[in-house]
Amino acid sequence: MVKKIGFIGIGVMGKSMAGHLMDAFGPILIYSRTKSKAEDLISRGAVWKDSVKEVAREADVVFTIVGYPSDVESVYLSEDGLVENAKQGTVFCDMTTTTPSLEMRIAAEAEKRGCTFFDAPVSGGDVGARNATLTIMLGGREDELEKVMPYLRTMGRSINYMGRAGMGQHTKMCNQIVIAGTMIGVSEALVYGRKAGLDVSAMVEAIRPGAAGCWTLDNLAPRVIRNDFEPGFMIDHFIKDMGIALEESRAMGLDLKGLSLVEKLYLNLQEEGYGRNGTQALVKAVEAAAKEA
């Protein structure tokens, strides 16, 4: 029996991810708060639904990638949400980056309704979403994995099962901590290189093959060099992620000073109106801090 697939959240990444599912499995049901963002998918055959509830009532498998923990909670646990309105046996997969505790709560509620829930946050940004090369960090029941794996394989290159529901999100927090550190390192290298009079493009090419090589250097440094601050991943969303990581770390008795510093720089940018820029705009805060020193 062919499964009806639903996808909620047609944003910078969700649009490409939903497109890959369509390429592999045919027309899907879609919903997003802004219908205009879904027009390309609709023109390709996606079936627009006017609410989360409508998706829940028809779909057998539902993927979500929305903005904030409050959005995830509303989509899944509100009266008009997925869990309350789904058919028994529905498979849910939340690919938003959100709090581990929320995902564990959703999993418990879904199980009460005879449904299956996975948390599967992703890394790779807009480039990974477009190219179907995302890294996916998966949490949920191990004995149910095959209910979701065929779909995830259309969106990602590296799918990593991390344990029970919520463990995908804990893994994503580790990922975001590393990204925060590499982003400030790359930003400071570019500021230093410019001040030293280097051709920064040549500098990046020189250090990429060595120990400094990383995704941020490959994908975001070139954007900074050409003054491209369009979002592959928005500062507003990264601030949300860093806040989750810091909250979780404090709950475990940890004080992550490096992450706290990067969060402060990003919060300054947000206050200055750069929240909808890509995370590579951190270089603006680094430049400002360097001039003040």
Side-chain angles (χ1 to χ4, degrees):
M1 175 178 161
V2 176
K3 302 288 187 182
K4 279 191 179 180
I5 302 168
F7 200 102
I8 295 171
I10 311 298
V12 172
M13 296 178 66
K15 183 177 179 180
S16 295
M17 295 160 71
H20 294 314
L21 286 170
M22 287 182 62
D23 290 341
F25 300 102
I28 64 174
L29 313 176
I30 59 173
Y31 171 76
S32 194
R33 285 184 298 191
T34 307
K35 186 176 180 180
S36 59
K37 293 181 179 179
E39 292 297 342
D40 287 350
L41 293 174
I42 295 170
S43 69
R44 291 173 51 193
V47 180
W48 174 260
K49 293 296 172 181
D50 289 321
S51 67
V52 169
K53 181 189 285 189
E54 286 188 24
V55 175
R57 287 176 171 173
E58 293 188 37
D60 303 300
V61 183
V62 182
F63 293 89
T64 56
I65 182 163
V66 293
Y68 296 89
S70 58
D71 299 317
V72 175
E73 184 168 20
S74 176
V75 164
Y76 278 94
L77 298 179
S78 69
E79 184 177 336
D80 294 324
L82 291 171
V83 173
E84 185 70 22
N85 295 284
K87 301 175 291 187
Q88 187 171 3
T90 299
V91 177
F92 301 120
C93 186
D94 183 32
M95 306 186 81
T96 315
T97 297
T98 186
T99 59
S101 58
L102 174 58
E103 303 288 64
M104 288 186 275
R105 183 153 60 96
I106 295 170
E109 292 301 317
E111 190 166 349
K112 289 177 187 176
R113 302 279 297 190
C115 300
T116 302
F117 177 84
F118 295 95
D119 63 308
V122 301
S123 181
D126 59 331
V127 175
R130 282 197 306 272
N131 296 333
T133 56
L134 292 169
T135 293
I136 300 173
M137 294 150 267
L138 182 60
R141 287 183 51 172
E142 189 171 11
D143 60 338
E144 304 272 20
L145 286 179
E146 281 310 310
K147 291 183 178 180
V148 76
M149 288 297 288
Y151 307 106
L152 296 179
R153 291 187 186 110
T154 71
M155 295 181 274
R157 178 180 293 167
S158 175
I159 303 168
N160 307 273
Y161 177 66
M162 305 307 299
R164 68 184 187 279
M167 298 307 281
Q169 297 295 344
H170 277 305
T171 307
K172 181 62 184 288
M173 290 304 106
C174 294
N175 184 84
Q176 301 307 74
I177 292 165
V178 171
I179 287 174
T182 55
M183 194 69 247
I184 194 170
V186 168
S187 296
E188 290 190 336
L190 291 168
V191 170
Y192 177 97
R194 282 174 175 163
K195 189 69 173 179
L198 288 168
D199 176 333
V200 287
S201 293
M203 177 272 289
V204 168
E205 288 304 310
I207 69 174
R208 279 180 58 214
C214 62
W215 188 95
T216 302
L217 198 63
D218 290 346
N219 292 277
L220 297 184
R223 297 190 191 189
V224 173
I225 291 167
R226 60 178 182 264
N227 290 315
D228 175 5
F229 298 107
E230 287 299 305
F233 187 54
M234 282 196 299
I235 285 173
D236 284 343
H237 291 162
F238 194 42
I239 287 172
K240 176 261 294 184
D241 293 356
M242 288 185 288
I244 293 170
L246 287 166
E247 181 182 350
E248 293 289 334
S249 65
R250 285 191 288 267
M252 293 185 284
L254 299 175
D255 180 14
L256 303 183
K257 296 186 184 302
L259 182 61
S260 297
L261 171 61
V262 179
E263 183 198 38
K264 181 179 178 181
L265 291 172
Y266 272 117
L267 286 169
N268 291 340
L269 285 175
Q270 189 180 53
E271 289 172 5
E272 292 171 14
Y274 295 109
R276 297 190 69 81
N277 279 194
T279 53
Q280 68 272 22
L282 182 64
V283 72
K284 297 177 184 290
V286 170
E287 287 173 332
K291 288 175 183 176
E292 292 172 2

